[in-house]
Amino acid sequence: MSTSGLPAPGDDFRYSDLLPIGPDTTPYRLVTTEGVSTVEVEGQTFLKVAPEAIRRLTAEAMHDISHFLRPAHLAQLRTIIDDPEASGNDRFVALDLLKNVNISAGGVLPMCQDTGTAIVMGKKSEGVLTGIDDGEAISAGVYDAYTKLNLRYSQLAPLTTYEEKNTGTNLPAQIEIYSTPQPVGPDGKGKPEYKFLFMAKGGGSANKSFLFQETKAILNPKRLLEFLDEKIRSLGTAACPPYHLAVVIGGTSAEFALKTAKYASAHYLDDLPTEGSMAAHGFRDTELEEEVFKLTQGFGIGAQFGGKYFCHDVRVVRLPATARRAPSPSPCPAPPTARRSARSRPRASSSSSSRRTRRSTCPRPAPPRTSRAARSSPSTSTGP
């Protein structure tokens, strides 16, 4: 029998989530317990989440993304200042970012003027009840944050193929909600939960996401590093390094590779397995991450004006791919503010990170925004 209780189709049947991430160790802050409750029906626990709770959680997350950095991100900036090998330019940028964070933490001015596109990914387990279109409640929270705070409106409505106009609210948001199995607690009972990843993806970071369709000839250590050296250098400094760089190799489709790169740049996939298996799930190649990180330190580009810190860190994810295509690396830099925000249990909470949302998208500098893209097989995708 399989874990789902269904008979296994055959001896060689294997099932795994393509991105099997481990336990969530993100530190959260409690926003409120209002609007979140549990109810028992025939021995099963259901989690009831009111629309107002989703709306408030979203607004809080978008606020935190624009005004705070996670402790781990702040520590990375401190590392640059303390590193004797860092250039004066590196230290200048790191210190300036810390000063910006100090100002933005006051809640008046955001860390960056490009307050980005609101991107929200939700994982809603069996047993979660909302009774609404969750996307509308999330959009209302985005609206609240952008219209009440000093955040820029960046979204353009297409009126015709050639004409567009600013919506004046930063809507629409990109919202994706997935149905997931219900976690089981130590007591053997289901524990319904609703998790969110919030990002504010700036244009500079998004514009530095690239997909390359390559052949299998690239899959050897020497050729791959040569390829990445060339492509990562081409990211330049327009997205404000130091970056959270993500490289994805392989992919069941080009779009899944790019999405994976975005999640990886937001550190959402940090707890992936670190080796592959015949279940064909994605995994992190931590050794290659170190090699690529050292590669970027040798560019001489540094944190915008020359030096060592072109990147804060690097994530490399290998995905399964079709035999008809070869994996290509896809670099994607993530903005420095993504955060993995929030899970609803009998409470709603939000968290912030080095970038704002946690697990998010592509090329982006350490400064202000969240998350963290990818490519397809013999195709590679990269981005900050």
Side-chain angles (χ1 to χ4, degrees):
M1 297 290 285
S2 68
T3 56
S4 65
L6 297 172
D11 293 341
D12 57 351
F13 174 78
R14 301 180 183 91
Y15 171 77
S16 172
D17 190 318
L18 283 176
L19 297 171
I21 56 177
D24 183 7
T25 58
T26 306
Y28 292 101
R29 67 179 177 87
L30 177 64
V31 175
T32 182
T33 57
E34 295 180 6
V36 184
S37 61
T38 58
V39 60
E40 297 287 331
V41 179
E42 296 183 354
Q44 183 174 350
T45 301
F46 289 85
L47 176 65
K48 296 178 65 177
V49 184
E52 294 76 14
I54 297 175
R55 179 175 181 172
R56 180 173 177 183
L57 180 65
T58 302
E60 291 281 345
M62 301 316 296
H63 167 276
D64 289 2
I65 286 173
S66 291
H67 291 282
F68 302 135
L69 291 182
R70 286 182 179 274
H73 192 174
L74 294 171
Q76 288 179 315
L77 293 171
R78 175 61 186 265
T79 295
I80 296 175
I81 294 173
D82 292 342
D83 186 351
E85 296 181 355
S87 70
N89 289 328
D90 286 334
R91 294 193 188 94
F92 169 79
V93 171
L95 181 60
D96 208 47
L97 291 174
L98 287 171
K99 290 178 179 179
N100 284 353
V101 174
N102 189 45
I103 294 171
S104 69
V108 178
L109 298 175
M111 264 178 294
C112 179
Q113 52 85 24
D114 184 356
T115 49
T117 298
I119 300 176
V120 182
M121 186 270 283
K123 290 187 175 181
K124 185 178 184 180
S125 80
E126 180 184 1
V128 176
L129 309 175
T130 61
I132 57 164
D133 178 348
D134 297 5
E136 184 173 356
I138 292 169
S139 295
V142 171
Y143 173 91
D144 291 343
Y146 279 85
T147 57
K148 294 176 182 178
L149 302 171
N150 295 311
L151 306 181
R152 191 177 78 182
Y153 307 145
S154 302
Q155 305 311 303
L156 304 177
L159 304 181
T160 70
T161 299
Y162 308 102
E163 181 185 6
E164 52 192 14
K165 184 177 181 179
N166 197 299
T167 62
T169 61
N170 212 54
L171 292 174
Q174 178 181 317
I175 302 169
E176 300 177 5
I177 300 176
Y178 298 94
S179 174
T180 62
Q182 186 175 112
V184 178
D187 57 1
K189 295 184 178 180
K191 303 290 184 182
E193 59 184 16
Y194 202 168
K195 298 182 179 180
F196 294 93
L197 168 64
F198 295 93
M199 304 179 194
K201 185 69 172 170
S205 172
N207 290 341
K208 293 298 180 179
S209 300
F210 298 98
L211 173 67
F212 305 95
Q213 300 281 0
E214 302 294 322
T215 68
K216 194 169 183 177
I218 203 174
L219 286 183
N220 65 77
K222 181 176 183 295
R223 180 67 188 100
L224 182 58
L225 283 176
E226 291 173 347
F227 176 89
L228 291 174
D229 184 299
E230 174 191 353
K231 301 305 181 185
I232 295 174
R233 285 176 187 268
S234 71
L235 295 174
T237 60
C240 310
Y243 296 132
H244 296 283
L245 182 71
V247 177
V248 175
I249 302 172
T252 49
S253 65
E255 62 270 23
F256 186 74
L258 288 165
K259 180 180 293 187
T260 300
K262 178 175 292 188
Y263 291 161
S265 69
H267 293 190
Y268 184 71
L269 304 178
D270 278 6
D271 296 321
L272 280 177
T274 53
E275 58 184 24
S277 76
M278 287 305 294
H281 54 71
F283 67 90
R284 277 184 63 187
D285 188 334
T286 53
E287 291 185 8
L288 186 53
E289 289 175 358
E290 285 297 318
E291 291 184 67
V292 175
F293 185 55
K294 290 178 182 177
L295 183 72
T296 66
Q297 291 183 324
F299 289 169
I301 299 173
Q304 305 182 38
F305 307 112
K308 177 180 177 182
Y309 284 93
F310 185 66
C311 295
H312 276 308
D313 47 50
V314 174
R315 296 292 182 268
V316 177
V317 176
R318 181 64 160 97
L319 293 175
T322 173
R324 291 293 301 274
R325 296 191 333 223
S328 73
S330 155
C332 170
T337 10
R339 47 197 93 220
R340 201 183 275 231
S341 191
R343 82 170 61 182
S344 296
R345 261 219 186 123
R347 68 215 232 140
S349 63
S350 89
S351 81
S352 75
S353 98
S354 219
R355 318 198 106 229
R356 285 132 192 184
T357 299
R358 195 186 246 253
R359 295 107 180 68
S360 127
T361 313
C362 279
R364 189 95 162 163
R369 215 146 279 304
T370 284
S371 286
R372 313 135 169 14
R375 275 16 159 207
S376 92
S377 77
S379 73
T380 304
S381 91
T382 68

